[in-house]
Amino acid sequence: MNEGSKEEAYQKAKEAFDIILQFLEHLKANPQLLMSQPFLDKPPLTYSQINNQSTALNLMIAMVREIHYHTGQIVYIAKLRKGKIEWE
């Protein structure tokens, strides 16, 4: 498995956040999109707190609720790889 450099990880994160910021600007200009239901015509999700009736706003709230968990996972793995966490 090819491991990327810190700079590559930074660039990927920057690109991802740039996309998020562009989308938020789009929502700011079109606030009615917050109440749209983007997954209405998709198969139901059985493993998720959201469903086909969820609005874009509901999806954004769910993402904010989840991000701390995944950030914690990333920090934990980084510390594990650096040897700052040891198995007992």
Side-chain angles (χ1 to χ4, degrees), residues 34-87:
L34 288 171
M35 299 313 292
S36 67
Q37 294 173 311
F39 295 118
L40 219 49
D41 60 344
K42 304 288 185 208
L45 299 172
T46 57
Y47 55 88
S48 177
Q49 64 186 358
I50 59 171
N51 59 42
N52 295 53
Q53 304 298 316
S54 294
T55 64
L57 180 60
N58 295 131
L59 296 170
M60 291 173 67
I61 291 169
M63 287 172 49
V64 169
R65 269 192 296 227
E66 290 276 325
I67 197 163
H68 74 281
Y69 178 71
H70 297 296
T71 303
Q73 290 173 324
I74 293 167
V75 169
Y76 179 80
I77 291 168
K79 285 183 176 183
L80 196 62
R81 291 181 57 142
K82 286 270 194 180
K84 296 188 177 190
I85 296 176
E86 296 180 17
W87 296 106

Side-chain angles (χ1 to χ4, degrees), residues 1-18:
M1 184 172 166
N2 184 14
E3 295 183 29
S5 70
K6 188 186 290 188
E7 182 60 31
E8 288 172 319
Y10 171 77
Q11 286 302 321
K12 291 286 184 192
K14 184 179 180 320
E15 290 170 15
F17 279 101
D18 286 345

